[in-house]
Amino acid sequence: LAPAITSANAATFTEGVAGTFSVIATGIPASMLSASGTLPSGVMFNESTGVLSGTPATGTAGTYAIQFTANNGVGSNAVQNFTLTVTAP
């Protein structure tokens, strides 16, 4: 079954506050996730778990364009354009 990304295409974190967002990918076999783009300081994407998490550093408020890709070797990769918004506290 070809991969698909079924989670929302946007999330909002706040400077100085821990945030988390799970990227959900479907497909058989299970899809491997990767991310490209610039993340704010203090935030990381764990490709093993599909979790975007961390505490955005002070001064990082703004919007960040990220592209998630799911690949399981079946059909085409699933690509999602994602927007992470960081707000000031």
Side-chain angles (χ1 to χ4, degrees):
L1 192 61
I5 297 174
T6 59
S7 48
N9 66 354
T12 301
F13 286 12
T14 302
E15 286 181 4
V17 178
T20 185
F21 178 85
S22 294
V23 179
I24 307 299
T26 60
I28 298 172
S31 298
M32 298 293 296
L33 286 165
S34 61
S36 61
T38 302
L39 292 171
S41 178
V43 177
M44 61 169 277
F45 180 66
N46 184 323
E47 294 184 356
S48 298
T49 62
V51 175
L52 181 69
S53 64
T55 303
T58 300
T60 59
T63 56
Y64 297 83
I66 304 162
Q67 190 173 72
F68 292 119
T69 302
N71 174 15
N72 69 353
V74 177
S76 300
N77 292 347
V79 177
Q80 181 187 61
N81 292 316
F82 183 89
T83 302
L84 175 63
T85 302
V86 176
T87 59

